[in-house]
């Protein structure tokens, strides 16, 4: 059993970590996700000493150890998510639900993780809310995605306390939980869910794809959650083919396609 002074020391350390987190995140308040006008971006980068936007503050995306800016084709996805009022304190969702058919390796998952982290940290609008991510068939797959979220910050925010558990973490008082497809039933019953991001849904087992439909419809009925589904197409009898043909979720999603040529 911990002695009283040991418990006090542990509580003090937790409080210091939380205070450090709050102070660190303050740099991201009201910052845009990215400045798409290149000349304006260069100007703001110089004026703010590199603190111009979320992605420069946390560190640009990496590929083989090299940093890359956001590309023009990624603006297609961003524009499908956001209104033009980029600096508004109430960032609005242009189309409530989004379906993304993407080429492999185009970076859509990375962009979505960054977008969701930015939504948590640029304002306090999602404080007390939850974001759910569905990915992979097993808990270790789900945990890998949680690690990718944490790794967004390791270059510029090392030592931050995410209050992390195996498949979950907290960003600025927003709870992010990653569910494997084997745990789809456990998604039901939650309230105050702001986003549900479903990664590589067309690779789920057919039974899981059917169950996913029930989960999505239940949140559509009982909450205001925004549902984003992104996947590389996998099978002709799968969920993506059914959505594209109108057999499933007819007029439910705004549909966009990210062809492999966009990443060339």
């Amino acid at each position: 059993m911990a002695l009283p002074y040991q418990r006090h020391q542990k509580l003090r350390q937790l409080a210091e970590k939380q205070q450090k987190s709050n102070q660190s995140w303050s740099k991201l308040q009201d910052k845009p996700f990215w400045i798409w006008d290149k000349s304006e971006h260069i100007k703001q980068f110089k004026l703010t000493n590199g603190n111009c936007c979320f992605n420069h503050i946390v560190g640009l995306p990496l590929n083989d150890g090299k940093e890359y800016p956001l590309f023009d084709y990624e603006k297609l996805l961003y524009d499908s998510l956001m209104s033009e009022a980029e600096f508004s304190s109430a960032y609005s969702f242009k189309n409530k639900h989004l379906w993304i058919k993407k080429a492999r390796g185009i970076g859509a998952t990375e962009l979505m993780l960054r977008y969701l982290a930015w939504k948590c940290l640029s304002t306090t609008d999602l404080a007390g809310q939850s974001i759910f991510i569905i990915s992979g068939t097993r808990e270790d797959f789900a945990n890998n995605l949680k690690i990718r979220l944490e790794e967004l910050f390791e270059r510029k925010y090392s030592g931050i306390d995410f209050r992390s558990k195996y498949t979950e973490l907290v960003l600025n008082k927003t709870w992010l939980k990653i569910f494997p497809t084997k745990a789809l039933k456990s998604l039901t019953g939650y309230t105050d869910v702001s986003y549900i991001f479903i990664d590589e849904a067309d690779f789920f087992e057919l039974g899981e794809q059917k169950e996913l439909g029930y989960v999505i419809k239940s949140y559509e009925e009982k909450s205001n959650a925004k549902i984003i589904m992104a996947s590389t197409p996998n099978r002709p009898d799968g969920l993506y083919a059914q959505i594209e043909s109108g057999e499933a979720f007819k007029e439910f999603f705004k549909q966009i396609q990210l062809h492999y040529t966009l990443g060339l």
Side-chain angles (χ1 to χ4, degrees):
M1 180 181 293
L3 296 174
Y5 77 89
Q6 291 174 324
R7 290 199 298 270
H8 175 74
Q9 185 179 33
K10 185 176 289 188
L11 288 171
R12 187 181 68 183
Q13 289 172 346
L14 288 171
E16 287 174 351
K17 283 184 178 180
Q18 190 60 47
Q19 184 179 17
K20 181 181 178 182
S21 298
N22 293 339
Q23 291 171 346
S24 300
W25 298 143
S26 64
K27 188 185 293 185
L28 295 164
Q29 283 287 308
D30 300 320
K31 292 293 183 179
F33 182 67
W34 184 253
I35 302 172
W36 298 99
D37 182 279
K38 292 180 181 178
S39 59
E40 180 63 22
H41 203 158
I42 292 170
K43 177 183 174 182
Q44 291 301 321
F45 184 88
K46 292 176 179 178
L47 286 174
T48 61
N49 195 28
N51 294 319
C52 50
C53 64
F54 172 84
N55 282 285
H56 268 116
I57 293 172
V58 303
L60 296 178
L62 291 172
N63 189 0
D64 293 329
K66 182 179 178 181
E67 288 189 340
Y68 287 89
L70 269 61
F71 298 108
D72 290 342
Y73 74 85
E74 291 174 302
K75 189 175 185 297
L76 296 174
L77 178 52
Y78 177 85
D79 285 346
S80 296
L81 293 167
M82 295 297 300
S83 73
E84 295 179 357
E86 191 168 332
F87 287 95
S88 169
S89 60
Y91 294 95
S92 58
F93 205 86
K94 184 183 289 188
N95 295 278
K96 189 174 182 183
H97 307 305
L98 185 63
W99 178 89
I100 305 158
K101 181 180 178 181
K102 66 183 183 68
R104 187 179 301 277
I106 207 163
T109 300
E110 169 83 7
L111 188 71
M112 284 306 311
L113 292 179
R114 286 175 171 268
Y115 174 83
L116 293 171
W118 169 67
K119 291 290 292 184
C120 294
L121 297 169
S122 60
T123 74
T124 57
D125 292 347
L126 298 186
Q129 300 285 308
S130 301
I131 292 175
F132 292 159
I133 300 173
I134 305 171
S135 178
T137 57
R138 303 197 311 267
E139 276 199 349
D140 55 340
F141 293 154
N143 185 55
N144 287 338
L145 205 58
K146 188 266 299 188
I147 291 172
R148 285 181 64 180
L149 263 168
E150 293 178 333
E151 287 176 345
L152 296 179
F153 304 97
E154 65 180 8
R155 281 173 284 162
K156 303 289 184 73
Y157 286 88
S158 61
I160 288 291
D161 178 25
F162 294 103
R163 288 184 276 167
S164 176
K165 297 181 182 178
Y166 187 51
T167 57
E168 60 188 80
L169 73 159
V170 175
L171 282 178
N172 199 25
K173 300 181 181 179
T174 303
W175 180 47
L176 293 95
K177 169 74 173 174
I178 299 93
F179 292 85
T181 55
K182 300 298 184 185
L184 282 173
K185 285 185 174 66
S186 62
L187 265 82
T188 58
Y190 289 98
T191 58
D192 299 323
V193 179
S194 293
Y195 289 88
I196 299 175
F197 171 46
I198 307 157
D199 191 38
E200 297 295 1
D202 213 35
F203 289 83
F204 299 175
E205 298 293 336
L206 288 178
E208 294 168 346
Q209 291 182 2
K210 185 176 180 180
E211 190 173 358
L212 178 65
Y214 296 136
V215 171
I216 290 174
K217 288 177 181 177
S218 72
Y219 273 98
E220 168 68 10
E221 292 168 358
K222 71 182 180 181
S223 78
N224 196 34
K226 288 83 172 175
I227 298 163
I228 305 161
M229 185 184 294
S231 183
T232 304
N234 180 46
R235 51 192 304 164
D237 59 342
L239 180 61
Y240 259 54
Q242 294 172 21
I243 292 175
E244 197 165 14
S245 68
E247 182 182 345
F249 294 103
K250 187 175 182 180
E251 298 180 352
F252 184 85
F253 291 103
K254 177 188 177 182
Q255 300 184 16
I256 66 171
Q257 300 195 26
L258 300 177
H259 194 262
Y260 78 93
T261 55
L262 293 171
L264 297 179

